[in-house]
Amino acid sequence: MFAVNSSHRRASPCSATRGYFSHLTSMAQQSSHTRFHIRQRFPVRGKSLTARDMTIHGGKVLSTYTHVSDQWSTYGTKQIVPTTREGHYTLDELLGNETDLPIHEHATDTHGATLVNFGLFDLVGKVLTPRMRDLGRITMLRVDTPAATNALYPHAGPLLADRWNENLIHECYSDLLRMGGSLKFGEATASLIVGKWSAASRQNTLAAALKEWGRMQRTVHAARYLSDPVYRRKISRQLNKGESLHALRRDLHYAQQGTIVRTQLQDQTEQAWCLTILTNAVITWTTEYYGMAIKELRGQGREVPDELLSFIAPGHRENINFFGFITVDIEAELAKLIEGWRPLRPTRVHDAGLPFLLNP
């Protein structure tokens, strides 16, 4: 079981994220501008205002909404009621990002692809790139008559079934900009705005304008999603990272048999942040030694192309012992270090003759 001093619970995730980001940037030499989120439900023991009984999950559970960069670092964690729509919280941690990660794009599953989210992401200068399901059921917009659109786009023209309401956008454009400014400067939380405008009636002019702006952004995204297979694979690859981190976080959360034992929201959030610290520590550790292993292999004359580094996943857990008590002779372990690092394990060779490095 791990213990974390409460005075470091807020700062540590940011520090781990910054350290991990700098090391991975130097190794892979690519910027982190994409993020995604994962939602996990953990069982709750005892009474809790934020937990709910859900038969499908076998009892009382609480949802943890975690935001992850495309380089595997976790930088945002929020506890939410499991029965609420998670799409309302998609934008929260992006605007409240206190790390050095330059997040610009957010990948999500279909649940986050609401018209309000599409509109707000564009208003605050970000990009929403969800995985789209049932594309045949969504309404895509055009800016001209059906005849002119079909002539310009013979294949896609029939999909553009509705006319963009430019007059509505022109009438409410200044209010839309003020709404985006309020979100960027923290005057209101994104989850509150998304929840209110999603439930607003059709008679609300500003809500209608925001959704119309979202329809336009969704049309742009859907057109690219349909026509660009590389773009589709990129989104799916980001979301698959979340599934990998699911397993790692569940294995790390074994204390108290993997349940949330705190009753107050603040205590539950701190417990979730402790899990975030552990996850970032594992990711950082693995990334550090991946870099050393690659340097060692190249020093031996083996070819390790830079193009392959982006496919290396530091979220594995086979080299971690999650159970039992471990007694460490600190002085003996420090004596083994080489310039502050543990020595790498030797390499072995597959039957096919390809080199394979053991986990550090």
Side-chain angles (χ1 to χ4, degrees):
M1 183 176 178
F2 299 89
V4 180
N5 189 301
S6 61
S7 62
H8 298 292
R9 284 172 177 166
R10 299 296 181 188
S12 296
C14 297
S15 302
T17 300
R18 290 191 185 101
Y20 164 75
F21 172 64
S22 62
H23 295 313
L24 190 58
T25 301
S26 62
M27 186 177 76
Q29 296 182 350
Q30 64 180 48
S31 62
S32 173
H33 64 277
T34 306
R35 69 153 193 166
F36 56 95
H37 61 255
I38 54 178
R39 179 175 182 174
Q40 287 182 280
R41 292 186 173 93
F42 292 104
V44 176
R45 187 186 306 168
K47 296 181 179 180
S48 174
L49 294 176
T50 50
R52 296 292 185 271
D53 284 311
M54 300 187 71
T55 304
I56 191 174
H57 296 290
K60 186 179 293 185
V61 295
L62 177 67
S63 287
T64 299
Y65 203 58
T66 304
H67 298 258
V68 185
S69 77
D70 60 349
Q71 296 174 344
W72 295 84
S73 54
T74 303
Y75 67 92
T77 300
K78 181 186 289 290
Q79 302 291 93
I80 63 176
V81 177
T83 54
T84 59
R85 183 167 184 176
E86 56 190 274
H88 293 174
Y89 301 90
T90 303
L91 192 55
D92 270 353
E93 296 299 325
L94 188 146
L95 296 177
N97 176 24
E98 297 179 355
T99 69
D100 295 333
L101 295 169
I103 305 298
H104 172 66
E105 181 180 328
H106 179 76
T108 180
D109 222 328
T110 306
H111 65 266
T114 65
L115 295 179
V116 174
N117 275 338
F118 269 112
L120 289 179
F121 264 82
D122 184 70
L123 289 174
V124 299
K126 309 297 182 182
V127 179
L128 180 64
T129 55
R131 179 162 53 191
M132 304 295 290
R133 184 180 62 184
D134 299 330
L135 278 170
R137 297 184 180 181
I138 68 173
T139 303
M140 300 175 66
L141 301 182
R142 63 176 189 273
V143 296
D144 210 334
T145 63
T149 302
N150 290 334
L152 187 60
Y153 308 106
H155 300 291
L159 300 176
L160 308 177
D162 205 356
R163 181 72 179 262
W164 183 40
N165 193 342
E166 186 176 357
N167 292 332
L168 177 62
I169 298 298
H170 184 270
E171 178 184 346
C172 301
Y173 190 65
S174 59
D175 292 328
L176 292 174
L177 293 181
R178 278 194 289 269
M179 185 189 305
S182 298
L183 289 176
K184 293 199 69 170
F185 291 102
E187 298 297 331
T189 61
S191 55
L192 176 63
I193 295 296
V194 173
K196 293 295 184 182
W197 289 128
S198 297
S201 65
R202 296 183 179 180
Q203 286 72 31
N204 190 306
T205 305
L206 184 57
L210 178 60
K211 293 177 181 178
E212 187 71 11
W213 190 263
R215 291 175 71 198
M216 184 263 289
Q217 296 300 324
R218 186 179 65 177
T219 298
V220 173
H221 169 70
R224 184 180 178 187
Y225 191 85
L226 282 169
S227 61
D228 190 348
V230 176
Y231 185 61
R232 292 197 299 270
R233 287 196 297 269
K234 172 188 172 183
I235 296 173
S236 296
R237 189 163 55 244
Q238 299 299 331
L239 297 177
N240 289 339
K241 292 179 183 178
E243 299 302 324
S244 178
L245 275 181
H246 264 169
L248 174 61
R249 288 172 60 84
R250 286 198 179 280
D251 287 343
L252 289 173
H253 195 254
Y254 74 90
Q256 283 88 37
Q257 291 77 51
T259 61
I260 303 288
V261 297
R262 309 292 180 85
T263 58
Q264 300 298 321
L265 178 59
Q266 181 178 354
D267 295 332
Q268 292 169 350
T269 301
E270 289 179 348
Q271 189 175 357
W273 270 113
C274 288
L275 178 58
T276 294
I277 294 172
L278 290 177
T279 305
N280 276 342
V282 171
I283 296 296
T284 304
W285 171 277
T286 305
T287 304
E288 286 277 7
Y289 280 90
Y290 272 168
M292 294 174 60
I294 292 170
K295 183 179 179 180
E296 178 70 18
L297 288 173
R298 287 174 171 172
Q300 297 174 3
R302 300 183 182 180
E303 183 180 358
V304 184
D306 289 338
E307 301 80 44
L308 297 181
L309 298 185
S310 61
F311 297 97
I312 296 178
H316 67 78
R317 58 198 184 282
E318 291 80 5
N319 59 325
I320 305 171
N321 180 17
F322 297 100
F323 306 102
F325 294 90
I326 302 175
T327 303
V328 180
D329 186 342
I330 298 178
E331 296 299 330
E333 291 296 325
L334 289 176
K336 297 178 183 179
L337 300 183
I338 302 176
E339 297 182 355
W341 306 99
R342 296 176 62 185
L344 295 173
R345 297 180 183 180
T347 59
R348 66 183 181 185
V349 178
H350 282 289
D351 294 337
L354 299 176
F356 174 77
L357 188 70
L358 290 175
N359 293 329

